Structures are given as C-alpha cells and as structure tokens.
Amino acid sequence: MIRITYCLHRLPALTREEFQRYWRGTHAPLVAAASEALGIRRYVQQHTLTSDMARRFASAQGIPCGEGEDYDGVAEIWFDSEEALARVGESEEGRRHAAILAADEARFIHFERSRYFFSAASEVIV
C-alpha cells in the first residue's frame, strides 16, 4: 500500500472551523463517492485541535502549537500501489471524479501553503 499525506492550509477567507466543517461535510462525501473509480482504499481526515491539552502536550515536547504555520488538517489517501494510482486517469469515470474533487478542493484549500508526500504504509502495533 502507498499513502499520500496532505498537510492542508485553509484559504485565507475561511476560519479553521469553516474549513473543517466544509472538508468534513461537503468534501468527504465526494471522496467517498469517488473512491471506487479512483481506487481509494482508505481516506482519513485529521482535524487540527487547538485545545489546552494540545498546547500543553506541544509545550512539553518543545514544539509550537497554535501559532506560526501549523496546518488546519491532514488527509491520508491510501492506494494499493503507485501503479494503481497511475491507472486513475485511464478511465473516463476516474478522470471525471478526479476533476470533481480538484474543483471542490479549490473552494477551501490554499494549495500554495499546503504540502503533500508519498509514503509506503507500514504499521507499528503497540
């Protein structure tokens, strides 16, 4: 399995709450509807918290929290392989769903400030 991890910033016109509400309530159902056509095996949204506990934990670790360039959320999209991901554009349905998702993402994601990376998925069980 491979995973694409997106570290997301919201568009400047949105509050964090607006961004997360739209991402969860509008974008996630679009991803679910596209999952078969795009070969998505797993989709996870992680919404950034700025609670007192989060700040205390970050402070104890010596890592900034709730200031500077923290992300508004992280998305993980899992695929069987890089080859499976490459095949997404081979079908009309795959291209159609990819275009729908891209257009929707432009409504709430600040692409220039966001980042993504590919990784091989492995799990450590504790």
Side-chain angles (χ1 to χ4, degrees), residues 38-59:
L38 298 179
I40 296 171
R41 297 295 176 223
R42 184 173 187 204
Y43 176 65
V44 178
Q45 292 182 351
Q46 299 177 53
H47 294 250
T48 302
L49 299 174
T50 53
S51 66
D52 288 339
M53 177 55 145
R55 283 188 279 281
R56 284 194 307 273
F57 182 81
S59 178

mmCIF file with all atom_site columns, all heavy atoms in Angstrom, residues 38-59:
data_model
loop_
_atom_site.group_PDB
_atom_site.id
_atom_site.type_symbol
_atom_site.label_atom_id
_atom_site.label_alt_id
_atom_site.label_comp_id
_atom_site.label_asym_id
_atom_site.label_entity_id
_atom_site.label_seq_id
_atom_site.pdbx_PDB_ins_code
_atom_site.Cartn_x
_atom_site.Cartn_y
_atom_site.Cartn_z
_atom_site.occupancy
_atom_site.B_iso_or_equiv
_atom_site.pdbx_formal_charge
_atom_site.auth_seq_id
_atom_site.auth_comp_id
_atom_site.auth_asym_id
_atom_site.auth_atom_id
_atom_site.pdbx_PDB_model_num
ATOM 1   N N   . LEU A 1 38 ? -11.563 5.851  -8.310 1.00 0.00 ? 38 LEU A N   1
ATOM 2   C CA  . LEU A 1 38 ? -10.178 6.295  -8.148 1.00 0.00 ? 38 LEU A CA  1
ATOM 3   C C   . LEU A 1 38 ? -9.291  5.256  -7.472 1.00 0.00 ? 38 LEU A C   1
ATOM 4   O O   . LEU A 1 38 ? -8.096  5.472  -7.314 1.00 0.00 ? 38 LEU A O   1
ATOM 5   C CB  . LEU A 1 38 ? -10.143 7.608  -7.363 1.00 0.00 ? 38 LEU A CB  1
ATOM 6   C CG  . LEU A 1 38 ? -10.864 8.784  -8.028 1.00 0.00 ? 38 LEU A CG  1
ATOM 7   C CD1 . LEU A 1 38 ? -10.784 10.023 -7.153 1.00 0.00 ? 38 LEU A CD1 1
ATOM 8   C CD2 . LEU A 1 38 ? -10.293 9.057  -9.409 1.00 0.00 ? 38 LEU A CD2 1
ATOM 9   N N   . GLY A 1 39 ? -9.867  4.153  -7.051 1.00 0.00 ? 39 GLY A N   1
ATOM 10  C CA  . GLY A 1 39 ? -9.071  3.107  -6.403 1.00 0.00 ? 39 GLY A CA  1
ATOM 11  C C   . GLY A 1 39 ? -8.614  3.474  -5.002 1.00 0.00 ? 39 GLY A C   1
ATOM 12  O O   . GLY A 1 39 ? -7.607  2.960  -4.521 1.00 0.00 ? 39 GLY A O   1
ATOM 13  N N   . ILE A 1 40 ? -9.358  4.339  -4.332 1.00 0.00 ? 40 ILE A N   1
ATOM 14  C CA  . ILE A 1 40 ? -9.001  4.739  -2.968 1.00 0.00 ? 40 ILE A CA  1
ATOM 15  C C   . ILE A 1 40 ? -9.393  3.623  -2.014 1.00 0.00 ? 40 ILE A C   1
ATOM 16  O O   . ILE A 1 40 ? -10.532 3.186  -1.981 1.00 0.00 ? 40 ILE A O   1
ATOM 17  C CB  . ILE A 1 40 ? -9.718  6.050  -2.583 1.00 0.00 ? 40 ILE A CB  1
ATOM 18  C CG1 . ILE A 1 40 ? -9.244  7.194  -3.491 1.00 0.00 ? 40 ILE A CG1 1
ATOM 19  C CG2 . ILE A 1 40 ? -9.494  6.382  -1.111 1.00 0.00 ? 40 ILE A CG2 1
ATOM 20  C CD1 . ILE A 1 40 ? -10.047 8.474  -3.340 1.00 0.00 ? 40 ILE A CD1 1
ATOM 21  N N   . ARG A 1 41 ? -8.429  3.147  -1.239 1.00 0.00 ? 41 ARG A N   1
ATOM 22  C CA  . ARG A 1 41 ? -8.677  2.065  -0.283 1.00 0.00 ? 41 ARG A CA  1
ATOM 23  C C   . ARG A 1 41 ? -9.015  2.576  1.105  1.00 0.00 ? 41 ARG A C   1
ATOM 24  O O   . ARG A 1 41 ? -9.705  1.906  1.869  1.00 0.00 ? 41 ARG A O   1
ATOM 25  C CB  . ARG A 1 41 ? -7.453  1.147  -0.200 1.00 0.00 ? 41 ARG A CB  1
ATOM 26  C CG  . ARG A 1 41 ? -7.136  0.458  -1.490 1.00 0.00 ? 41 ARG A CG  1
ATOM 27  C CD  . ARG A 1 41 ? -8.267  -0.486 -1.838 1.00 0.00 ? 41 ARG A CD  1
ATOM 28  N NE  . ARG A 1 41 ? -8.031  -1.091 -3.135 1.00 0.00 ? 41 ARG A NE  1
ATOM 29  C CZ  . ARG A 1 41 ? -8.957  -1.241 -4.051 1.00 0.00 ? 41 ARG A CZ  1
ATOM 30  N NH1 . ARG A 1 41 ? -10.190 -0.833 -3.826 1.00 0.00 ? 41 ARG A NH1 1
ATOM 31  N NH2 . ARG A 1 41 ? -8.670  -1.794 -5.198 1.00 0.00 ? 41 ARG A NH2 1
ATOM 32  N N   . ARG A 1 42 ? -8.509  3.771  1.423  1.00 0.00 ? 42 ARG A N   1
ATOM 33  C CA  . ARG A 1 42 ? -8.773  4.337  2.747  1.00 0.00 ? 42 ARG A CA  1
ATOM 34  C C   . ARG A 1 42 ? -8.601  5.841  2.650  1.00 0.00 ? 42 ARG A C   1
ATOM 35  O O   . ARG A 1 42 ? -7.699  6.320  1.972  1.00 0.00 ? 42 ARG A O   1
ATOM 36  C CB  . ARG A 1 42 ? -7.789  3.764  3.765  1.00 0.00 ? 42 ARG A CB  1
ATOM 37  C CG  . ARG A 1 42 ? -8.042  4.201  5.179  1.00 0.00 ? 42 ARG A CG  1
ATOM 38  C CD  . ARG A 1 42 ? -7.130  3.459  6.139  1.00 0.00 ? 42 ARG A CD  1
ATOM 39  N NE  . ARG A 1 42 ? -7.517  3.792  7.507  1.00 0.00 ? 42 ARG A NE  1
ATOM 40  C CZ  . ARG A 1 42 ? -6.721  3.710  8.527  1.00 0.00 ? 42 ARG A CZ  1
ATOM 41  N NH1 . ARG A 1 42 ? -5.481  3.285  8.376  1.00 0.00 ? 42 ARG A NH1 1
ATOM 42  N NH2 . ARG A 1 42 ? -7.128  4.038  9.723  1.00 0.00 ? 42 ARG A NH2 1
ATOM 43  N N   . TYR A 1 43 ? -9.477  6.569  3.334  1.00 0.00 ? 43 TYR A N   1
ATOM 44  C CA  . TYR A 1 43 ? -9.404  8.028  3.374  1.00 0.00 ? 43 TYR A CA  1
ATOM 45  C C   . TYR A 1 43 ? -9.601  8.459  4.814  1.00 0.00 ? 43 TYR A C   1
ATOM 46  O O   . TYR A 1 43 ? -10.585 8.080  5.452  1.00 0.00 ? 43 TYR A O   1
ATOM 47  C CB  . TYR A 1 43 ? -10.489 8.633  2.486  1.00 0.00 ? 43 TYR A CB  1
ATOM 48  C CG  . TYR A 1 43 ? -10.576 10.140 2.524  1.00 0.00 ? 43 TYR A CG  1
ATOM 49  C CD1 . TYR A 1 43 ? -9.547  10.938 2.052  1.00 0.00 ? 43 TYR A CD1 1
ATOM 50  C CD2 . TYR A 1 43 ? -11.706 10.771 3.028  1.00 0.00 ? 43 TYR A CD2 1
ATOM 51  C CE1 . TYR A 1 43 ? -9.630  12.318 2.067  1.00 0.00 ? 43 TYR A CE1 1
ATOM 52  C CE2 . TYR A 1 43 ? -11.812 12.151 3.056  1.00 0.00 ? 43 TYR A CE2 1
ATOM 53  C CZ  . TYR A 1 43 ? -10.768 12.925 2.573  1.00 0.00 ? 43 TYR A CZ  1
ATOM 54  O OH  . TYR A 1 43 ? -10.865 14.294 2.593  1.00 0.00 ? 43 TYR A OH  1
ATOM 55  N N   . VAL A 1 44 ? -8.644  9.217  5.343  1.00 0.00 ? 44 VAL A N   1
ATOM 56  C CA  . VAL A 1 44 ? -8.698  9.646  6.733  1.00 0.00 ? 44 VAL A CA  1
ATOM 57  C C   . VAL A 1 44 ? -8.497  11.154 6.786  1.00 0.00 ? 44 VAL A C   1
ATOM 58  O O   . VAL A 1 44 ? -7.570  11.676 6.162  1.00 0.00 ? 44 VAL A O   1
ATOM 59  C CB  . VAL A 1 44 ? -7.590  8.959  7.580  1.00 0.00 ? 44 VAL A CB  1
ATOM 60  C CG1 . VAL A 1 44 ? -7.618  9.452  9.015  1.00 0.00 ? 44 VAL A CG1 1
ATOM 61  C CG2 . VAL A 1 44 ? -7.703  7.451  7.508  1.00 0.00 ? 44 VAL A CG2 1
ATOM 62  N N   . GLN A 1 45 ? -9.362  11.836 7.509  1.00 0.00 ? 45 GLN A N   1
ATOM 63  C CA  . GLN A 1 45 ? -9.189  13.258 7.787  1.00 0.00 ? 45 GLN A CA  1
ATOM 64  C C   . GLN A 1 45 ? -8.767  13.402 9.246  1.00 0.00 ? 45 GLN A C   1
ATOM 65  O O   . GLN A 1 45 ? -9.376  12.800 10.131 1.00 0.00 ? 45 GLN A O   1
ATOM 66  C CB  . GLN A 1 45 ? -10.486 14.035 7.584  1.00 0.00 ? 45 GLN A CB  1
ATOM 67  C CG  . GLN A 1 45 ? -10.963 14.137 6.182  1.00 0.00 ? 45 GLN A CG  1
ATOM 68  C CD  . GLN A 1 45 ? -12.237 14.974 6.083  1.00 0.00 ? 45 GLN A CD  1
ATOM 69  O OE1 . GLN A 1 45 ? -12.850 15.334 7.083  1.00 0.00 ? 45 GLN A OE1 1
ATOM 70  N NE2 . GLN A 1 45 ? -12.626 15.267 4.860  1.00 0.00 ? 45 GLN A NE2 1
ATOM 71  N N   . GLN A 1 46 ? -7.751  14.228 9.473  1.00 0.00 ? 46 GLN A N   1
ATOM 72  C CA  . GLN A 1 46 ? -7.324  14.547 10.830 1.00 0.00 ? 46 GLN A CA  1
ATOM 73  C C   . GLN A 1 46 ? -7.449  16.058 10.990 1.00 0.00 ? 46 GLN A C   1
ATOM 74  O O   . GLN A 1 46 ? -6.730  16.812 10.335 1.00 0.00 ? 46 GLN A O   1
ATOM 75  C CB  . GLN A 1 46 ? -5.890  14.089 11.066 1.00 0.00 ? 46 GLN A CB  1
ATOM 76  C CG  . GLN A 1 46 ? -5.744  12.582 10.896 1.00 0.00 ? 46 GLN A CG  1
ATOM 77  C CD  . GLN A 1 46 ? -4.326  12.130 11.067 1.00 0.00 ? 46 GLN A CD  1
ATOM 78  O OE1 . GLN A 1 46 ? -3.691  12.445 12.079 1.00 0.00 ? 46 GLN A OE1 1
ATOM 79  N NE2 . GLN A 1 46 ? -3.807  11.406 10.095 1.00 0.00 ? 46 GLN A NE2 1
ATOM 80  N N   . HIS A 1 47 ? -8.368  16.474 11.843 1.00 0.00 ? 47 HIS A N   1
ATOM 81  C CA  . HIS A 1 47 ? -8.661  17.888 12.030 1.00 0.00 ? 47 HIS A CA  1
ATOM 82  C C   . HIS A 1 47 ? -7.841  18.440 13.190 1.00 0.00 ? 47 HIS A C   1
ATOM 83  O O   . HIS A 1 47 ? -7.902  17.908 14.299 1.00 0.00 ? 47 HIS A O   1
ATOM 84  C CB  . HIS A 1 47 ? -10.157 18.086 12.285 1.00 0.00 ? 47 HIS A CB  1
ATOM 85  C CG  . HIS A 1 47 ? -10.987 17.722 11.100 1.00 0.00 ? 47 HIS A CG  1
ATOM 86  N ND1 . HIS A 1 47 ? -11.654 18.659 10.360 1.00 0.00 ? 47 HIS A ND1 1
ATOM 87  C CD2 . HIS A 1 47 ? -11.229 16.530 10.502 1.00 0.00 ? 47 HIS A CD2 1
ATOM 88  C CE1 . HIS A 1 47 ? -12.289 18.068 9.363  1.00 0.00 ? 47 HIS A CE1 1
ATOM 89  N NE2 . HIS A 1 47 ? -12.049 16.765 9.431  1.00 0.00 ? 47 HIS A NE2 1
ATOM 90  N N   . THR A 1 48 ? -7.104  19.491 12.933 1.00 0.00 ? 48 THR A N   1
ATOM 91  C CA  . THR A 1 48 ? -6.241  20.100 13.934 1.00 0.00 ? 48 THR A CA  1
ATOM 92  C C   . THR A 1 48 ? -7.054  20.616 15.116 1.00 0.00 ? 48 THR A C   1
ATOM 93  O O   . THR A 1 48 ? -8.078  21.272 14.940 1.00 0.00 ? 48 THR A O   1
ATOM 94  C CB  . THR A 1 48 ? -5.452  21.267 13.307 1.00 0.00 ? 48 THR A CB  1
ATOM 95  O OG1 . THR A 1 48 ? -4.703  20.762 12.214 1.00 0.00 ? 48 THR A OG1 1
ATOM 96  C CG2 . THR A 1 48 ? -4.515  21.900 14.309 1.00 0.00 ? 48 THR A CG2 1
ATOM 97  N N   . LEU A 1 49 ? -6.571  20.320 16.306 1.00 0.00 ? 49 LEU A N   1
ATOM 98  C CA  . LEU A 1 49 ? -7.169  20.813 17.539 1.00 0.00 ? 49 LEU A CA  1
ATOM 99  C C   . LEU A 1 49 ? -6.246  21.855 18.154 1.00 0.00 ? 49 LEU A C   1
ATOM 100 O O   . LEU A 1 49 ? -5.025  21.722 18.084 1.00 0.00 ? 49 LEU A O   1
ATOM 101 C CB  . LEU A 1 49 ? -7.358  19.682 18.557 1.00 0.00 ? 49 LEU A CB  1
ATOM 102 C CG  . LEU A 1 49 ? -8.269  18.534 18.156 1.00 0.00 ? 49 LEU A CG  1
ATOM 103 C CD1 . LEU A 1 49 ? -8.224  17.439 19.227 1.00 0.00 ? 49 LEU A CD1 1
ATOM 104 C CD2 . LEU A 1 49 ? -9.686  19.012 17.932 1.00 0.00 ? 49 LEU A CD2 1
ATOM 105 N N   . THR A 1 50 ? -6.825  22.852 18.760 1.00 0.00 ? 50 THR A N   1
ATOM 106 C CA  . THR A 1 50 ? -6.027  23.855 19.472 1.00 0.00 ? 50 THR A CA  1
ATOM 107 C C   . THR A 1 50 ? -6.504  23.948 20.915 1.00 0.00 ? 50 THR A C   1
ATOM 108 O O   . THR A 1 50 ? -6.616  25.015 21.482 1.00 0.00 ? 50 THR A O   1
ATOM 109 C CB  . THR A 1 50 ? -6.102  25.230 18.783 1.00 0.00 ? 50 THR A CB  1
ATOM 110 O OG1 . THR A 1 50 ? -7.467  25.577 18.613 1.00 0.00 ? 50 THR A OG1 1
ATOM 111 C CG2 . THR A 1 50 ? -5.398  25.220 17.447 1.00 0.00 ? 50 THR A CG2 1
ATOM 112 N N   . SER A 1 51 ? -6.757  22.806 21.503 1.00 0.00 ? 51 SER A N   1
ATOM 113 C CA  . SER A 1 51 ? -7.241  22.737 22.883 1.00 0.00 ? 51 SER A CA  1
ATOM 114 C C   . SER A 1 51 ? -6.096  23.003 23.856 1.00 0.00 ? 51 SER A C   1
ATOM 115 O O   . SER A 1 51 ? -4.914  22.988 23.495 1.00 0.00 ? 51 SER A O   1
ATOM 116 C CB  . SER A 1 51 ? -7.831  21.355 23.158 1.00 0.00 ? 51 SER A CB  1
ATOM 117 O OG  . SER A 1 51 ? -6.817  20.373 23.103 1.00 0.00 ? 51 SER A OG  1
ATOM 118 N N   . ASP A 1 52 ? -6.461  23.213 25.118 1.00 0.00 ? 52 ASP A N   1
ATOM 119 C CA  . ASP A 1 52 ? -5.442  23.386 26.155 1.00 0.00 ? 52 ASP A CA  1
ATOM 120 C C   . ASP A 1 52 ? -4.544  22.164 26.232 1.00 0.00 ? 52 ASP A C   1
ATOM 121 O O   . ASP A 1 52 ? -3.327  22.285 26.405 1.00 0.00 ? 52 ASP A O   1
ATOM 122 C CB  . ASP A 1 52 ? -6.096  23.641 27.516 1.00 0.00 ? 52 ASP A CB  1
ATOM 123 C CG  . ASP A 1 52 ? -6.721  25.022 27.613 1.00 0.00 ? 52 ASP A CG  1
ATOM 124 O OD1 . ASP A 1 52 ? -6.324  25.914 26.836 1.00 0.00 ? 52 ASP A OD1 1
ATOM 125 O OD2 . ASP A 1 52 ? -7.610  25.207 28.467 1.00 0.00 ? 52 ASP A OD2 1
ATOM 126 N N   . MET A 1 53 ? -5.130  20.959 26.121 1.00 0.00 ? 53 MET A N   1
ATOM 127 C CA  . MET A 1 53 ? -4.332  19.728 26.168 1.00 0.00 ? 53 MET A CA  1
ATOM 128 C C   . MET A 1 53 ? -3.334  19.695 25.019 1.00 0.00 ? 53 MET A C   1
ATOM 129 O O   . MET A 1 53 ? -2.171  19.330 25.213 1.00 0.00 ? 53 MET A O   1
ATOM 130 C CB  . MET A 1 53 ? -5.237  18.507 26.126 1.00 0.00 ? 53 MET A CB  1
ATOM 131 C CG  . MET A 1 53 ? -4.473  17.206 26.095 1.00 0.00 ? 53 MET A CG  1
ATOM 132 S SD  . MET A 1 53 ? -3.326  17.117 27.495 1.00 0.00 ? 53 MET A SD  1
ATOM 133 C CE  . MET A 1 53 ? -3.396  15.421 27.857 1.00 0.00 ? 53 MET A CE  1
ATOM 134 N N   . ALA A 1 54 ? -3.764  20.071 23.824 1.00 0.00 ? 54 ALA A N   1
ATOM 135 C CA  . ALA A 1 54 ? -2.857  20.086 22.671 1.00 0.00 ? 54 ALA A CA  1
ATOM 136 C C   . ALA A 1 54 ? -1.705  21.048 22.914 1.00 0.00 ? 54 ALA A C   1
ATOM 137 O O   . ALA A 1 54 ? -0.541  20.731 22.629 1.00 0.00 ? 54 ALA A O   1
ATOM 138 C CB  . ALA A 1 54 ? -3.618  20.468 21.401 1.00 0.00 ? 54 ALA A CB  1
ATOM 139 N N   . ARG A 1 55 ? -1.994  22.218 23.464 1.00 0.00 ? 55 ARG A N   1
ATOM 140 C CA  . ARG A 1 55 ? -0.939  23.205 23.742 1.00 0.00 ? 55 ARG A CA  1
ATOM 141 C C   . ARG A 1 55 ? 0.014   22.705 24.827 1.00 0.00 ? 55 ARG A C   1
ATOM 142 O O   . ARG A 1 55 ? 1.233   22.865 24.717 1.00 0.00 ? 55 ARG A O   1
ATOM 143 C CB  . ARG A 1 55 ? -1.557  24.541 24.126 1.00 0.00 ? 55 ARG A CB  1
ATOM 144 C CG  . ARG A 1 55 ? -2.100  25.314 22.928 1.00 0.00 ? 55 ARG A CG  1
ATOM 145 C CD  . ARG A 1 55 ? -2.534  26.713 23.319 1.00 0.00 ? 55 ARG A CD  1
ATOM 146 N NE  . ARG A 1 55 ? -3.861  26.739 23.922 1.00 0.00 ? 55 ARG A NE  1
ATOM 147 C CZ  . ARG A 1 55 ? -4.993  26.689 23.227 1.00 0.00 ? 55 ARG A CZ  1
ATOM 148 N NH1 . ARG A 1 55 ? -4.965  26.622 21.923 1.00 0.00 ? 55 ARG A NH1 1
ATOM 149 N NH2 . ARG A 1 55 ? -6.151  26.713 23.841 1.00 0.00 ? 55 ARG A NH2 1
ATOM 150 N N   . ARG A 1 56 ? -0.512  22.075 25.883 1.00 0.00 ? 56 ARG A N   1
ATOM 151 C CA  . ARG A 1 56 ? 0.348   21.539 26.945 1.00 0.00 ? 56 ARG A CA  1
ATOM 152 C C   . ARG A 1 56 ? 1.255   20.432 26.407 1.00 0.00 ? 56 ARG A C   1
ATOM 153 O O   . ARG A 1 56 ? 2.439   20.380 26.728 1.00 0.00 ? 56 ARG A O   1
ATOM 154 C CB  . ARG A 1 56 ? -0.489  21.012 28.116 1.00 0.00 ? 56 ARG A CB  1
ATOM 155 C CG  . ARG A 1 56 ? -1.046  22.105 28.997 1.00 0.00 ? 56 ARG A CG  1
ATOM 156 C CD  . ARG A 1 56 ? -1.574  21.573 30.327 1.00 0.00 ? 56 ARG A CD  1
ATOM 157 N NE  . ARG A 1 56 ? -2.534  20.495 30.207 1.00 0.00 ? 56 ARG A NE  1
ATOM 158 C CZ  . ARG A 1 56 ? -3.849  20.651 30.053 1.00 0.00 ? 56 ARG A CZ  1
ATOM 159 N NH1 . ARG A 1 56 ? -4.368  21.858 30.014 1.00 0.00 ? 56 ARG A NH1 1
ATOM 160 N NH2 . ARG A 1 56 ? -4.647  19.610 29.966 1.00 0.00 ? 56 ARG A NH2 1
ATOM 161 N N   . PHE A 1 57 ? 0.695   19.554 25.603 1.00 0.00 ? 57 PHE A N   1
ATOM 162 C CA  . PHE A 1 57 ? 1.485   18.465 25.022 1.00 0.00 ? 57 PHE A CA  1
ATOM 163 C C   . PHE A 1 57 ? 2.601   19.030 24.149 1.00 0.00 ? 57 PHE A C   1
ATOM 164 O O   . PHE A 1 57 ? 3.744   18.617 24.247 1.00 0.00 ? 57 PHE A O   1
ATOM 165 C CB  . PHE A 1 57 ? 0.582   17.530 24.214 1.00 0.00 ? 57 PHE A CB  1
ATOM 166 C CG  . PHE A 1 57 ? 1.315   16.365 23.614 1.00 0.00 ? 57 PHE A CG  1
ATOM 167 C CD1 . PHE A 1 57 ? 1.606   15.248 24.374 1.00 0.00 ? 57 PHE A CD1 1
ATOM 168 C CD2 . PHE A 1 57 ? 1.725   16.391 22.290 1.00 0.00 ? 57 PHE A CD2 1
ATOM 169 C CE1 . PHE A 1 57 ? 2.285   14.173 23.833 1.00 0.00 ? 57 PHE A CE1 1
ATOM 170 C CE2 . PHE A 1 57 ? 2.408   15.327 21.735 1.00 0.00 ? 57 PHE A CE2 1
ATOM 171 C CZ  . PHE A 1 57 ? 2.684   14.212 22.512 1.00 0.00 ? 57 PHE A CZ  1
ATOM 172 N N   . ALA A 1 58 ? 2.246   19.982 23.287 1.00 0.00 ? 58 ALA A N   1
ATOM 173 C CA  . ALA A 1 58 ? 3.240   20.580 22.400 1.00 0.00 ? 58 ALA A CA  1
ATOM 174 C C   . ALA A 1 58 ? 4.320   21.291 23.199 1.00 0.00 ? 58 ALA A C   1
ATOM 175 O O   . ALA A 1 58 ? 5.511   21.192 22.893 1.00 0.00 ? 58 ALA A O   1
ATOM 176 C CB  . ALA A 1 58 ? 2.566   21.547 21.427 1.00 0.00 ? 58 ALA A CB  1
ATOM 177 N N   . SER A 1 59 ? 3.922   22.005 24.237 1.00 0.00 ? 59 SER A N   1
ATOM 178 C CA  . SER A 1 59 ? 4.880   22.718 25.074 1.00 0.00 ? 59 SER A CA  1
ATOM 179 C C   . SER A 1 59 ? 5.853   21.748 25.728 1.00 0.00 ? 59 SER A C   1
ATOM 180 O O   . SER A 1 59 ? 7.060   21.990 25.773 1.00 0.00 ? 59 SER A O   1
ATOM 181 C CB  . SER A 1 59 ? 4.142   23.528 26.133 1.00 0.00 ? 59 SER A CB  1
ATOM 182 O OG  . SER A 1 59 ? 5.055   24.179 26.968 1.00 0.00 ? 59 SER A OG  1
#
